[in-house]
Amino acid sequence: MSDNSSNSEATKRIAAIDLGTNSFHAVLVDIYPDGSFRTVNKLKEMVILAEKGLEDRLSRDAMDRGLEALKRIKFLCDSHHVETILAYATSAIREAENGGDFIKEAEEETGIRIRAISGKIEAELIGIAIRYSIDLKDEMVLMADIGGGSVEFIIGNHQKFIYYNSLKLGVARMAAAFVNSDPIEDKEIDHLQKHYREELAEVLELAKEHHVKTIIGSSGTMENIAEMVAHKNSLPTKMSLNELEFSSVDFKGLYTNFIKLDKKQRLDQKGLEEKRVDIINPGMVLVNFLVDELKLETIKISEAALREGMIMNFITTKKEQLNLDLIANFKDPRRRSVFELLRKCNWAEAHSQHVARFALQLFDEFKLELKLKESDRELLEFAALLHDIGYYISYRKHHKHALYLIRYSDLLGFKEDEINIMANVARYHRKSAPHKRHKRYRKLNKTNRKRVKKLSAILRIADGLDRSHYQNVQKLEIEHKDETVHLRITTQADPELEIWGTLRKADLLENLIGKTIKVFSEGK
């Protein structure tokens, strides 16, 4: 393990607490010198502040549940030596006549200072968090955080938000106002839809104007919906819900049956938390309404929400005070999170960049022959950059350590399949080629196993071309013959090690293209 720890040691440990209507969420993170952060621990406490919807006052029982939850969160923070606690209260506390009393009691009993933020600020912070965790493009999308008391709506892309606001349409509030039957009756659904149409006029108009076809949901209600859809359609959610994507057709398949269920039947639904059983229906109706009204095609999930927005806002506003150098501040969450992981693992930057450059050159050369897609190119680049991070654990079996680190490092902006592909490609940069006897490779579906085989074949050659780790090969030229492929390398010193390193790893690519690979050296 390298002793260069300037980028791998945390600068500060903080906690962000979101005091929501249904639950209090706390996340503890370490902030690093490059402005990135890593989760240390999480705690979620269901408190149900809105027992009968959102009334003017918090009941004594609700306040006591909230205080007990905060005491547990404070204990967790103290045991992890948290230096700063950020605590933001949202609609239930913000709107209650005695919300100030709760905030005062909380500070007296736990020492936690709570800030009641406006709905507008809440929406903006959620938007910032989603943009941080999801790979947004130029296309405008609708972001929605469906809480108990309010729903935050944001319309934007990777560059800007054109709308963000908080509306009093949360599931606990809507359930109390519109749902009296179990299962929910058609007339109640009609009343909900009518209410949504009236309250969402501005959101709908802007979304239609900007041809929005994707909704990105965050927080509990949307995550529960996603879990149920994933279970019904066997979608991968073992590692993360972040970037989980499904079609509006998949959602409709769930909605049509689910909306007819009574409480007992809903309790049997895998993916639905027990404490959301009584309030989930207005959320289902809202998503269904948006899908129909906007003709949405795709639904995505962001695991980042208000808490992550709070952390990002803290980092941005305190960067000088914390002496942070925000070099990790790529706008693209995929590239940013890859480079954050690289820096934390004290990567061999020159070698990895050199290997990645050759890997992309080889990809472009063999793309058609190997029937690879352009989306594979980026995954190969990232796998090439990450291929040696296993050294952070130890040299021995560093290829296997790389697989572990990539799979379990919460890389943002990637789907689960993409993370598994990068992890396996990095794992197979050395030693044995992909084989079904290997557990992680065997678990991939047939299509992804083929992708791993092709991409790792390329990475093995690229890594061999810098066997010395000193960037000896300055230039690579590729020439196709009928039965052979000639790799002509220009080196600045003796080429023998690079030739040996390349040829001993060439067999996998040779088998895939049906040609022999030969390496020729030309002195500089």
Side-chain angles (χ1 to χ4, degrees):
M1 195 182 294
S2 168
D3 62 2
N4 174 18
S5 59
S6 60
N7 277 324
S8 60
E9 290 183 0
T11 301
K12 190 176 182 69
R13 179 168 288 179
I14 71 168
I17 310 169
D18 164 12
L19 285 74
T21 302
N22 292 319
S23 56
F24 290 179
H25 284 253
V27 59
L28 282 57
V29 302
D30 281 342
I31 298 173
Y32 289 85
D34 61 5
S36 64
F37 61 89
R38 289 275 162 196
T39 301
V40 175
N41 210 325
K42 287 182 178 181
L43 183 62
K44 174 181 171 184
E45 294 278 341
M46 294 297 288
V47 293
I48 317 293
L49 293 181
E51 296 149 305
K52 298 169 185 171
L54 275 176
E55 298 178 343
D56 293 337
R57 295 182 63 80
L58 299 172
S59 72
R60 186 66 249 173
D61 284 347
M63 290 173 72
D64 288 342
R65 285 196 299 273
L67 291 170
E68 287 304 311
L70 284 175
K71 286 175 187 175
R72 287 189 286 273
I73 291 170
K74 182 63 163 59
F75 179 80
L76 181 70
C77 291
D78 289 345
S79 63
H80 281 77
H81 309 293
V82 166
E83 300 165 66
T84 300
I85 297 176
L86 311 172
Y88 287 7
T90 59
S91 59
I93 297 169
R94 179 169 70 220
E95 296 171 28
E97 286 176 2
N98 57 346
D101 294 331
F102 177 78
I103 289 172
K104 183 171 177 288
E105 279 189 50
E107 185 171 356
E108 288 171 353
E109 293 197 26
T110 68
I112 296 174
R113 296 189 66 181
I114 298 169
R115 177 184 171 195
I117 58 170
S118 71
K120 192 92 171 168
I121 290 174
E122 184 180 357
E124 184 180 19
L125 291 174
I126 289 166
I128 289 168
I130 292 173
R131 189 162 61 190
Y132 173 82
S133 69
I134 296 292
D135 185 23
L136 298 181
K137 306 293 186 188
D138 290 332
E139 169 202 358
M140 286 286 170
V141 299
L142 173 63
M143 300 166 240
D145 187 298
I146 304 174
S150 61
V151 181
E152 284 65 52
F153 291 98
I154 307 99
I155 299 173
N157 60 12
H158 66 101
Q159 290 183 315
K160 62 183 178 181
F161 301 145
I162 60 169
Y163 174 91
Y164 53 91
N165 204 0
S166 178
L167 302 176
K168 296 178 181 181
L169 298 173
V171 289
R173 192 192 299 268
M174 294 297 95
F178 291 96
V179 183
N180 295 306
S181 308
D182 187 35
I184 188 172
E185 293 183 356
D186 288 345
K187 66 179 181 182
E188 292 171 329
I189 294 173
D190 291 341
H191 291 152
L192 271 169
Q193 289 179 329
K194 183 174 181 290
H195 186 65
Y196 291 148
R197 184 169 281 106
E198 290 169 358
E199 296 297 314
L200 293 173
E202 187 180 4
V203 175
L204 295 174
E205 184 182 345
L206 274 172
K208 288 174 183 175
E209 182 184 327
H210 289 274
H211 311 291
V212 166
K213 293 299 172 194
T214 298
I215 182 171
I216 300 175
S218 62
S219 293
T221 297
M222 286 299 292
E223 287 181 358
N224 272 207
I225 290 171
E227 288 272 21
M228 290 189 287
V229 171
H231 178 75
K232 187 173 186 295
N233 295 280
S234 302
L235 301 177
T237 58
K238 285 182 183 174
M239 289 192 290
S240 172
L241 278 175
N242 202 63
E243 282 279 355
L244 179 70
E245 182 178 307
F246 49 95
S247 70
S248 55
V249 175
D250 290 333
F251 168 75
K252 286 280 190 182
L254 170 72
Y255 176 84
T256 305
N257 295 317
F258 183 89
I259 208 67
K260 299 173 186 172
L261 304 180
D262 61 23
K263 179 174 180 174
K264 186 169 181 292
Q265 292 167 320
R266 291 195 299 275
L267 280 167
D268 291 333
Q269 288 290 301
K270 291 191 176 174
L272 178 60
E273 291 176 285
E274 184 178 344
K275 291 193 176 179
R276 291 189 196 278
V277 164
D278 292 326
I279 55 175
I280 189 74
N281 274 332
M284 293 289 287
V285 173
L286 174 58
V287 175
N288 190 60
F289 170 79
L290 292 168
V291 166
D292 287 346
E293 195 69 21
L294 299 175
K295 297 180 171 56
L296 297 174
E297 297 168 0
T298 306
I299 301 168
K300 263 188 176 183
I301 300 300
S302 163
E303 282 196 322
L306 178 58
R307 299 170 299 287
E308 288 74 19
M310 292 161 62
I311 294 162
M312 291 199 65
N313 183 59
F314 177 83
I315 290 170
T316 303
T317 55
K318 303 284 186 182
K319 64 181 179 183
E320 291 178 8
Q321 188 179 324
L322 295 170
N323 195 27
L324 300 178
D325 177 13
L326 303 187
I327 54 175
N329 200 20
F330 293 100
K331 286 189 177 178
D332 169 17
R334 292 159 75 95
R335 189 164 296 273
R336 183 188 65 240
S337 60
V338 165
F339 274 81
E340 286 172 359
L341 177 57
L342 287 166
R343 279 188 283 272
K344 286 178 182 56
C345 293
N346 298 324
W347 65 314
E349 183 172 352
H351 168 67
S352 299
Q353 294 275 24
H354 206 60
V355 169
R357 182 164 64 84
F358 286 140
L360 294 181
Q361 185 182 346
L362 289 160
F363 178 94
D364 294 340
E365 191 70 33
F366 293 103
K367 177 183 173 183
L368 295 177
E369 202 167 350
L370 291 174
K371 296 179 180 172
L372 290 164
K373 297 176 181 175
E374 193 58 30
S375 56
D376 294 318
R377 192 178 193 274
E378 186 187 47
L379 297 182
L380 173 63
E381 180 191 3
F382 291 149
L385 291 170
L386 292 161
H387 77 280
D388 270 348
I389 61 169
Y391 280 113
Y392 186 68
I393 298 175
S394 76
Y395 171 77
R396 187 172 176 271
K397 297 185 179 178
H398 70 267
H399 54 304
K400 293 183 180 179
H401 299 321
L403 180 143
Y404 177 87
L405 286 168
I406 294 167
R407 284 192 83 243
Y408 295 105
S409 289
D410 295 328
L411 292 172
L412 298 175
F414 295 96
K415 297 181 176 68
E416 190 165 318
D417 278 351
E418 292 176 318
I419 291 173
N420 278 321
I421 287 168
M422 289 188 297
N424 277 276
V425 172
R427 181 253 189 269
Y428 290 115
H429 81 271
R430 71 189 288 263
K431 296 290 186 182
S432 61
H435 197 285
K436 277 192 179 179
R437 68 173 176 269
H438 302 145
K439 179 182 173 185
R440 293 294 173 198
Y441 180 71
R442 186 172 66 245
K443 284 191 170 184
L444 301 174
N445 63 39
K446 189 176 179 180
T447 300
N448 287 338
R449 285 200 298 269
K450 285 181 178 177
R451 292 169 76 188
V452 166
K453 192 170 281 191
K454 293 170 184 177
L455 296 178
S456 58
I458 292 172
L459 180 55
R460 290 164 82 87
I461 297 272
D463 189 48
L465 286 166
D466 195 38
R467 183 63 182 81
S468 66
H469 283 225
Y470 291 117
Q471 298 75 63
N472 187 28
V473 177
Q474 299 290 290
K475 184 179 177 184
L476 169 66
E477 295 173 281
I478 306 167
E479 186 181 356
H480 290 264
K481 303 285 188 181
D482 289 341
E483 296 181 358
T484 59
V485 172
H486 292 181
L487 304 182
R488 299 192 182 278
I489 59 174
T490 303
T491 61
Q492 55 186 351
D494 291 334
E496 279 73 22
L497 189 57
E498 274 67 40
I499 293 173
W500 174 81
T502 302
L503 290 177
R504 71 191 292 262
K505 291 186 173 184
D507 55 339
L508 183 55
L509 186 58
E510 287 177 330
N511 291 336
L512 289 170
I513 63 175
K515 293 180 182 180
T516 302
I517 292 173
K518 296 184 178 181
V519 185
F520 301 91
S521 169
E522 297 177 7
K524 193 173 178 183

